[in-house]
Amino acid sequence: MKKWLFVVLFAILVLPGTDVRAGVVEPNGKDEWGYYSDSGNIMYELEETGYAKLVKGKTYYVGRSIDVFGNVKLDATGATLIVADEAVRNDGGELKKGYDSMSNITIIGGKWISESKDGNPGTSFSFSHAKNITLKNMDIRCASADGHGVEFVSCQNVVMKNCKVIAQGSGRKNSVEESVQIDLDTPRTAPYLPDDLHDGTPCKNVTIDHCTIKGCRGLCASFPSSEKEYWKKYHDKIVVKNSTITGTKAEALALFNSNNVTVKNNKIISKSHRVKEAYSIGCHIALFGNIKAFSKGKNVVTGNTIKGGRQGFQLCSHTKSRYGKLTIKNNRCYSKKGRGNALKITVNAKGKRSAIRLVKKGNKLRKWK
């Protein structure tokens, strides 16, 4: 760049009245009536510039959800956000089927806490029919144990890294609500979305890395148990690695109707009191639909510490379909029902092993007291 051009550009940038802090949102705190007022300012900046940066060390009051659209980045590093209801969602605008509602949503940092010690009901962070979503370095403690901290419904290309998602309160006695949910859009699983969107789109390419997740059920890829017309829909390419996942009343990690999964180098613990039921399994991978594609899938479970009640780890098919290849190596698996239940591969509805090809070696099995 020629020297004179550089000087002109620099002069323009520092002209009086030029906002050299574009994207920075200062907190307002509560207004004169005690209402939370920062949500609108954050949303406005995202809509205007696509980028909002919160001030490190400051506290923001989120009275209503921050609705995000495509091509936005919210950097809350070092800030505290007190959440009265929902925190962030992308379903406030016009949604489309599949993954085409919006793309490129990034949220970095922030300590997101509820104004209530028992957390807020419902879902704190909700993303639907979207793609290219990144959540990074966040501390999320605003959803109640009977709600969801983060929910991905019909999403593709998702990365959640270095995040803590901790449910608040104790939850109902036998609650199976998950702190992080991977879901598909059906009338039952997403009743809050418009009826014309219920196409059963599953999630694809979801990575959970270096996260701490705790809830009644920790992390779950769901399926609609009462809606058999969607049973052939399945999640694909879910990676859970380097994370600590705890279920206090149900499974720690449940991956239902999910193919080509990788579960690697995690600490996975179910503390469920229902040791005679599947809800107490530490890592539960299960197939409920007749899905031919599963026979070609490759699933990997390696290097984990897995503790559960009825089983530590279990893979099963409830239909005649079977998983393709399962590699399960170098795990430490524990069961309160005894060493023989620490790692279990069941048979399918036709009496055949639920995985067509099984590579199993180097696993240590123990009874857990």
Side-chain angles (χ1 to χ4, degrees), residues 49-346:
T49 70
Y51 173 68
K53 182 175 178 60
L54 307 189
V55 180
K56 184 177 180 180
K58 294 294 184 70
T59 298
Y60 293 76
Y61 292 90
V62 180
R64 61 186 181 93
S65 68
I66 300 169
D67 295 345
V68 295
F69 301 92
N71 302 308
V72 296
K73 180 178 179 180
L74 170 58
D75 186 350
T77 302
T80 298
L81 298 97
I82 299 177
V83 181
D85 190 6
E86 295 177 305
V88 174
R89 66 176 187 175
N90 83 303
D91 58 6
E94 183 179 351
L95 297 182
K96 300 177 182 178
K97 291 183 178 181
Y99 311 110
D100 295 328
S101 293
M102 56 200 71
S103 63
N104 303 321
I105 299 169
T106 299
I107 304 175
I108 301 174
K111 185 173 184 178
W112 305 72
I113 60 177
S114 171
E115 64 171 351
S116 167
K117 64 180 179 63
D118 293 321
N120 302 327
T123 299
S124 292
F125 288 79
S126 175
F127 303 95
S128 306
H129 293 281
K131 59 189 175 185
N132 305 333
I133 302 167
T134 299
L135 307 182
K136 188 175 180 181
N137 303 333
M138 302 172 68
D139 189 347
I140 300 171
R141 301 171 188 260
C142 41
S144 74
D146 288 319
H148 306 303
V150 181
E151 181 177 19
F152 302 106
V153 179
S154 304
C155 291
Q156 183 181 45
N157 302 336
V158 174
V159 175
M160 191 166 76
K161 187 171 183 178
N162 294 325
C163 291
K164 293 180 180 179
V165 187
I166 310 296
Q168 302 300 293
S170 59
R172 291 172 286 111
K173 180 180 179 181
N174 292 329
S175 176
V176 296
E177 298 297 339
E178 41 276 293
S179 193
V180 176
Q181 184 179 49
I182 298 169
D183 216 339
L184 64 167
D185 182 0
T186 76
R188 184 172 178 81
T189 60
Y192 54 88
L193 292 176
D195 291 341
D196 60 354
L197 289 178
H198 296 321
D199 60 355
T201 298
C203 287
K204 292 185 178 181
N205 299 325
V206 178
T207 297
I208 311 295
D209 183 14
H210 281 93
C211 291
T212 299
I213 299 169
K214 184 177 181 180
C216 291
R217 185 186 253 161
L219 166 62
C220 180
S222 300
F223 84 105
S225 59
S226 62
E227 298 172 303
K228 291 187 177 181
E229 64 268 35
Y230 296 103
W231 280 23
K232 290 189 177 182
K233 302 285 187 178
Y234 64 94
H235 308 294
D236 194 27
K237 296 183 176 65
I238 296 176
V239 177
V240 182
K241 60 183 180 179
N242 308 315
S243 297
T244 298
I245 305 171
T246 305
T248 59
K249 292 183 168 65
E251 301 100 324
L253 176 61
L255 300 176
F256 300 142
N257 276 18
S258 303
N259 201 17
N260 297 305
V261 303
T262 298
V263 180
K264 185 177 181 180
N265 297 336
N266 303 286
K267 185 176 181 181
I268 302 168
I269 302 175
S270 172
K271 297 182 178 180
S272 171
H273 63 279
R274 293 182 282 178
V275 297
K276 295 182 179 180
E277 300 180 40
Y279 292 121
S280 67
I281 298 172
C283 178
H284 190 187
I285 300 178
L287 171 58
F288 293 88
N290 286 314
I291 307 171
K292 292 182 179 179
F294 271 60
S295 65
K296 297 182 179 180
K298 296 179 180 180
N299 304 279
V300 178
V301 180
T302 61
N304 304 283
T305 296
I306 306 173
K307 295 184 177 182
R310 198 183 76 179
Q311 280 87 29
F313 171 87
Q314 177 173 282
L315 178 136
C316 63
S317 170
H318 294 275
T319 69
K320 63 183 180 181
S321 293
R322 302 166 72 190
Y323 289 89
K325 181 179 179 181
L326 171 65
T327 299
I328 182 162
K329 296 170 56 177
N330 302 326
N331 301 283
R332 296 164 61 92
C333 299
Y334 300 77
S335 169
K336 289 187 176 181
K337 298 293 287 184
R339 183 178 183 276
N341 279 357
L343 192 163
K344 189 170 184 179
I345 313 298
T346 70

